[in-house]
């Protein structure tokens, strides 16, 4: 688990096996999300991404972001321009974020879902149990 204090500094607790409870010091964040073995946040200073714990394969993207979600072996984020990007273990298409503008995003175990700017929901990645099917209206 992780939380931000009133000044935006992260505090994390729980299992310490992979460093997921050791956030960067002296780095205030505007938001954060704890995944399975890691956590990611958006730096308050420059809107860039900061991740800690067990490294997720692939490079953390650079640029400015307005949302981030940490999954198990992949992460997704919404760039400042509203487009989505995902990185990490690509198996099953979990890092294949679709085109379009997003308001919210959530990385799961082997799939992700996003809320588009037209209020529709789209999911991608592993669909072994129907988890990537678009929800009924």
């Amino acid at each position: 688990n992780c939380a931000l204090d009133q000044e935006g500094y992260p505090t994390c607790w729980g299992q310490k096996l992979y460093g997921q409870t050791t956030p960067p010091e002296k780095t205030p964040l505007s938001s954060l999300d704890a995944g399975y073995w890691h956590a990611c946040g958006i730096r308050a200073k420059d809107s860039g991404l900061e991740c800690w714990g067990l490294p997720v394969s692939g490079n953390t993207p650079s640029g400015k972001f307005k949302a981030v979600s940490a999954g198990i072996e992949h992460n997704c984020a919404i760039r400042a321009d509203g487009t989505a990007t995902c990185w990490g273990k690509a198996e099953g298409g979990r890092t294949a974020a679709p085109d379009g503008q997003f308001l919210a995003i959530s990385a799961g175990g082997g799939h992700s879902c996003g809320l588009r700017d037209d209020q529709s929901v789209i999911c991608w990645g592993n669909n072994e149990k129907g988890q990537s099917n678009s929800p009924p209206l």
Side-chain angles (χ1 to χ4, degrees):
N1 296 308
C2 293
L4 297 177
D5 69 14
Q6 291 179 344
E7 295 175 349
Y9 293 100
T11 299
C12 299
W13 62 97
Q15 189 176 84
K16 301 176 184 183
L17 190 60
Y18 296 109
Q20 65 268 44
T21 59
T22 310
E25 293 184 24
K26 299 180 182 178
T27 304
L29 304 174
S30 59
S31 67
L32 67 90
D33 191 52
Y36 196 69
W37 293 309
H38 66 285
C40 291
I42 298 175
R43 292 187 299 268
K45 177 182 175 183
D46 62 3
S47 299
L49 295 174
E50 191 78 41
C51 297
W52 60 93
L54 185 68
V56 171
S57 62
N59 293 325
T60 302
S62 60
K64 293 180 182 271
F65 296 86
K66 57 183 180 179
V68 64
S69 180
I72 290 180
E73 295 179 302
H74 78 291
N75 302 311
C76 292
I78 300 174
R79 294 183 178 281
D81 68 2
T83 59
T85 186
C86 299
W87 67 101
K89 189 174 182 181
E91 181 181 298
R94 65 184 87 181
T95 59
D99 292 336
Q101 298 292 303
F102 289 84
L103 300 173
I105 200 159
S106 181
H111 70 289
S112 297
C113 293
L115 175 65
R116 291 183 180 269
D117 65 348
D118 66 1
Q119 303 299 310
S120 65
V121 174
I122 186 168
C123 299
W124 60 94
N126 185 328
N127 198 33
E128 189 175 278
K129 298 180 181 168
Q131 65 268 42
S132 290
N133 292 341
S134 294
L137 298 174

